[in-house]
């Protein structure tokens, strides 16, 4: 992509109407636009990051046998009355048709829509287990939406749901999902700072689990067990004061962001919707369900929040908008290399703009692409290569770029 043709421009100054570090950096880099509090649009660079996150998550979900679906945002009130959550779900957006005066929910989560769908397809023990997921926009009427991409009133979530004949089969799948989530954090560059965290389970199971990423901007607090490196959240520490894994009592207290949450629902939804299957003897049994969420906006905000320096963003390679940022200081001097990189299938943003070298260098640091390349009179036939995370530069041949 030629930067002269990019839809967006960078901003030198932090936007005045944005309190959060993550959105402030992302707005300055031209990744997102703040539509209003809690609602951000993805611009070309931001959408590229989003799509990469999406693809990693999709790949990992597919690897554990989940099939992709896409449900609606508009949902009937009746489904929410069936579970009692029309009144109990605090953040539910409710809208009324101006024509028919019928009430609808704008979906904050999809158990109320999916359980009746599953009822059409899960009839016998032969139909189990099953798992489906979607990557879809959610709506939540959040009280405070001041944390940029970390807490939106509209945001994207990957939500996975699983259906099982019994609790043991649910347990087995739940463990598999939990391992897969740890893989996802690693792949998106959050592996070292994200903790498997014990949280309270609500009405149907003793525990649920959260995935918490260490960050000073986080709204959550976790207690990391010094012995086994898993964490517990505030509710759990208040209740039992010891690590559920090793019984340890030494914890370090940290601020964190909840990037994912997994839950054993048991029969919480299959009961009100009468989702049952027939076992071998023809007996009708309620289906056991699990649900597993990851907030994509929140993950992107968390990466921006935890991976930056005073100059701007530092994208982990797997989710960077482009792998290379090619800068030229004389009009057209990098055009040949750009063309060759495109032919070789290398992902490159080419700064061909008519602006000063200083501006190009500052923008490259702000946008945070992993490898900066400079072609100038000084570099001759070689290319100057600098990693966004390094201070030093090296001179390389073109061939070297293909091996990175
Ligand atoms: P929180 O406690 O932070 O409000 P939650 O526990 O209500 O979140 P879940 O219902 O568990 O959220 O949703 C699954 C995932 O969706 C969360 O782990 C988080 O990554 C993401 N998420 C939830 N609410 C938001 C939001 N308002 N904006 C962005 N992402 C969100
Ligand atoms: Mg949660």
């Amino acid at each position: 992509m030629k930067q002269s043709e990019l839809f967006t421009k960078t901003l030198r100054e932090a936007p005045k109407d944005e309190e959060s570090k993550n959105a402030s950096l992302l707005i300055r880099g031209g990744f997102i636009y703040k539509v209003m509090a809690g609602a951000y649009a993805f611009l070309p660079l931001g959408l590229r990051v989003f799509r990469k996150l999406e693809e990693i998550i999709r790949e990992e979900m597919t690897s554990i046998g989940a099939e992709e679906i896409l449900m609606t945002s508009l949902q009937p009130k009746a489904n929410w009355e069936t579970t009692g959550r029309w009144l109990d779900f605090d953040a539910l957006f409710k809208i009324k048709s101006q024509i028919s005066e019928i009430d609808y929910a704008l979906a904050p989560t999809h158990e109320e829509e999916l359980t009746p769908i599953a009822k059409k397809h899960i009839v016998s023990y032969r139909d189990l287990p099953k798992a489906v997921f979607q990557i879809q926009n959610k709506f939540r009427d959040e009280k405070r939406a001041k944390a940029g991409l970390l807490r939106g009133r509209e945001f994207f979530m990957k939500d996975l749901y699983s259906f099982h004949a019994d609790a043991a089969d649910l347990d087995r799948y739940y463990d598999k999902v939990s391992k897969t989530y740890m893989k996802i954090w690693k792949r998106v560059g959050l592996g070292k700072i994200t903790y498997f965290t014990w949280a309270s389970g609500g009405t149907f199971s003793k525990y649920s689990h959260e995935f918490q990423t260490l960050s000073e901007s986080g709204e959550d607090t976790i207690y990391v067990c010094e012995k086994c490196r898993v964490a517990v959240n505030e509710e759990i520490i208040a209740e039992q004061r010891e690590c559920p894994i090793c019984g340890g009592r030494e914890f370090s207290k940290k601020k964190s962001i909840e990037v994912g949450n997994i839950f054993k629902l048991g029969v919480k939804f299959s009961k009100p919707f009468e989702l049952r299957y027939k076992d071998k003897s023809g007996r009708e049994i309620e289906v056991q369900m699990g649900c597993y969420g990851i907030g994509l906006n929140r993950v992107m905000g968390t990466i921006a929040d935890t991976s930056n320096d005073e100059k701007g963003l530092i994208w982990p390679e797997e989710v960077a908008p482009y792998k290379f940022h090619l800068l030229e200081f004389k009009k057209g001097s990098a055009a040949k290399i750009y063309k060759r990189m495109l032919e070789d299938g290398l992902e490159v943003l080419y700064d061909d703009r008519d602006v000063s070298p200083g501006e190009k260098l500052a923008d490259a640091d702000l946008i945070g692409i992993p490898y900066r390349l400079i072609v100038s009179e000084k570099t001759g036939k070689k290319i100057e290569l600098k990693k966004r995370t390094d201070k030093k530069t090296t001179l390389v041949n073109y061939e070297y770029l293909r091996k990175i």
Side-chain angles (χ1 to χ4, degrees):
M1 177 77 205
K2 288 183 177 167
Q3 210 167 329
S4 62
E5 290 169 8
L6 198 64
F7 180 61
T8 54
K9 289 194 174 62
T10 55
L11 296 177
R12 273 289 91 81
E13 304 290 327
K16 293 206 168 51
D17 63 339
E18 182 56 61
E19 291 176 30
S20 73
K21 178 160 91 174
N22 71 85
S24 188
L25 280 166
L26 289 164
I27 291 169
R28 284 185 57 206
F31 291 80
I32 59 171
Y33 171 81
K34 184 175 188 173
V35 180
M36 58 189 163
Y40 295 85
F42 290 109
L43 303 175
L45 292 176
L47 187 60
R48 287 183 70 93
V49 176
F50 182 86
R51 292 279 182 242
K52 288 192 174 178
L53 279 173
E54 197 183 0
E55 217 31 64
I56 290 170
I57 295 172
R58 179 174 284 123
E59 238 177 73
E60 294 297 338
M61 291 298 105
T62 308
S63 80
I64 48 171
E67 286 178 279
E68 188 164 6
I69 59 171
L70 187 55
M71 290 184 273
T72 64
S73 290
L74 206 56
Q75 296 182 331
K77 178 183 181 182
N79 293 33
W80 286 84
E81 285 178 328
T82 301
T83 58
R85 295 210 290 181
W86 180 257
L87 296 178
D88 286 355
F89 200 109
D90 287 345
L92 187 64
F93 267 113
K94 300 169 184 178
I95 55 169
K96 191 184 273 303
S97 161
Q98 302 302 302
I99 300 163
S100 64
E101 301 213 337
I102 289 172
D103 289 311
Y104 299 92
L106 275 183
T109 178
H110 279 75
E111 289 84 357
E112 271 81 357
E113 181 165 339
L114 180 60
T115 316
I117 298 177
K119 211 171 137 85
K120 298 274 181 217
H121 302 281
I122 296 171
V123 180
S124 116
Y125 68 93
R126 289 188 201 89
D127 304 323
L128 291 169
K130 285 273 154 64
V132 289
F133 75 100
Q134 63 174 351
I135 295 169
Q136 194 260 7
N137 52 339
K138 302 280 182 269
F139 295 87
R140 292 188 184 183
D141 202 356
E142 301 280 0
K143 279 196 192 77
R144 286 171 299 115
K146 292 184 173 170
L149 288 190
L150 303 181
R151 187 172 297 286
R153 296 202 168 98
E154 178 179 352
F155 60 95
F156 284 87
M157 196 200 285
K158 182 285 300 171
D159 40 333
L160 164 71
Y161 304 87
S162 68
F163 302 89
H164 308 271
D166 53 44
D169 196 55
L170 168 60
D171 289 352
R172 185 191 54 79
Y173 195 73
Y174 186 90
D175 287 345
K176 212 168 168 178
V177 176
S178 143
K179 290 201 178 81
T180 304
Y181 269 36
M182 295 311 282
K183 255 190 180 159
I184 293 173
W185 315 129
K186 216 184 225 169
R187 288 186 64 183
V188 304
L190 295 173
K192 291 203 176 101
I193 49 171
T194 303
Y195 285 85
F196 180 74
T197 305
W198 294 66
S200 89
T203 40
F204 276 82
S205 63
K206 185 160 185 219
Y207 297 112
S208 73
H209 295 92
E210 295 167 348
F211 296 84
Q212 295 275 1
T213 305
L214 301 185
S215 160
E216 275 309 305
S217 317
E219 293 176 348
D220 291 5
T221 303
I222 58 165
Y223 296 80
V224 179
C225 172
E226 297 289 359
K227 256 198 206 153
C228 63
R229 308 307 291 165
V230 303
V232 300
N233 76 2
E234 280 194 302
E235 294 162 291
I236 301 283
I237 197 105
E239 279 165 23
Q240 60 185 50
R241 308 219 144 260
E242 64 181 38
C243 171
I245 296 278
C246 70
R249 284 170 167 258
E250 303 273 322
F251 296 96
S252 49
K253 185 179 173 183
K254 313 259 188 201
K255 287 176 93 179
S256 61
I257 300 167
E258 179 199 312
V259 284
N261 200 184
I262 61 177
F263 224 96
K264 290 177 191 172
L265 296 170
V267 296
K268 183 170 175 172
F269 293 91
S270 30
K271 203 183 221 41
F273 287 108
E274 301 176 344
L275 171 61
R276 303 192 186 109
Y277 71 95
K278 280 200 176 67
D279 73 1
K280 279 184 187 155
S281 61
R283 209 159 45 110
E284 290 210 337
I285 299 172
E286 275 152 2
V287 172
Q288 292 279 326
M289 288 173 61
C291 74
Y292 320 84
I294 294 180
L296 275 82
N297 300 45
R298 190 175 286 185
V299 169
M300 187 162 156
T302 302
I303 297 169
D305 181 79
T306 55
S307 191
N308 60 66
D309 61 14
E310 67 293 344
K311 293 176 176 168
L313 294 155
I314 303 176
W315 291 107
E317 217 172 302
E318 275 217 72
V319 299
Y322 292 90
K323 183 168 179 176
F324 297 102
H325 201 165
L326 174 64
L327 276 53
E328 68 183 15
F329 297 150
K330 212 175 103 197
K331 191 86 194 147
S333 62
K336 258 201 191 138
I337 290 173
Y338 173 62
K339 191 163 166 266
R340 193 159 166 207
M341 289 179 85
L342 288 186
E343 281 164 8
D344 288 341
L346 300 177
E347 282 193 351
V348 53
L349 180 65
Y350 167 32
D351 195 349
D352 61 334
R353 296 172 305 161
D354 263 327
V355 300
S356 72
E359 197 168 325
K360 290 191 181 194
L361 292 168
D363 277 349
D365 282 337
L366 177 58
I367 293 172
I369 290 172
Y371 297 95
R372 189 189 75 189
L373 307 175
I374 294 180
V375 178
S376 72
E377 267 148 27
K378 269 198 284 180
T379 61
K381 280 214 169 77
K382 299 229 173 180
I383 303 166
E384 182 194 285
L385 170 74
K386 186 181 120 24
K387 274 174 94 167
R388 177 65 179 85
T389 48
D390 282 354
K391 284 214 157 52
K392 67 172 192 329
T393 59
T394 44
L395 282 180
V396 299
N397 291 322
Y398 177 84
E399 285 310 316
Y400 185 81
L401 303 182
R402 293 206 294 202
K403 292 187 223 127
I404 299 176

